Amino acid sequence: MPILVRLDDLLHARRMTLTELSERVDITLANLSVLKTGKARAIRFSTLEAICAALDCQPGDLLEFRP
């Protein structure tokens, strides 16, 4: 898949667990896990906005395109 999700890198850099992020953005741990492992087929802008706000990042920090 040419779109890589760098959620794991951002969590590690901010010393935050997936569980803590789940509580902060009010998204289930299962859904965040699907996103983190790169198995998600889509992401809502509201979800992307909540994650970026919680991690203090830009969407480009979270998603990367590799042809």
Side-chain angles (χ1 to χ4, degrees), residues 10-36:
L10 290 172
L11 288 170
H12 181 54
R14 282 148 179 85
R15 298 177 186 232
M16 185 184 299
T17 65
L18 197 62
T19 302
E20 186 178 350
L21 179 63
S22 172
E23 292 169 356
R24 287 187 184 193
V25 297
D26 196 30
I27 298 171
T28 66
L29 188 58
N31 284 339
L32 281 178
S33 181
V34 168
L35 183 63
K36 178 182 161 189

Side-chain angles (χ1 to χ4, degrees), residues 1-18 21 32-40 43 48 51-52 55-66:
M1 177 180 274
I3 302 291
L4 299 176
V5 180
R6 298 180 51 219
L7 181 58
D8 201 32
D9 297 336
L10 290 172
L11 288 170
H12 181 54
R14 282 148 179 85
R15 298 177 186 232
M16 185 184 299
T17 65
L18 197 62
L21 179 63
L32 281 178
S33 181
V34 168
L35 183 63
K36 178 182 161 189
T37 58
K39 295 179 182 177
I43 184 171
L48 184 60
I51 292 170
C52 287
L55 295 176
D56 190 30
C57 68
Q58 294 294 313
D61 298 331
L62 186 61
L63 303 172
E64 180 181 340
F65 174 73
R66 285 199 187 160

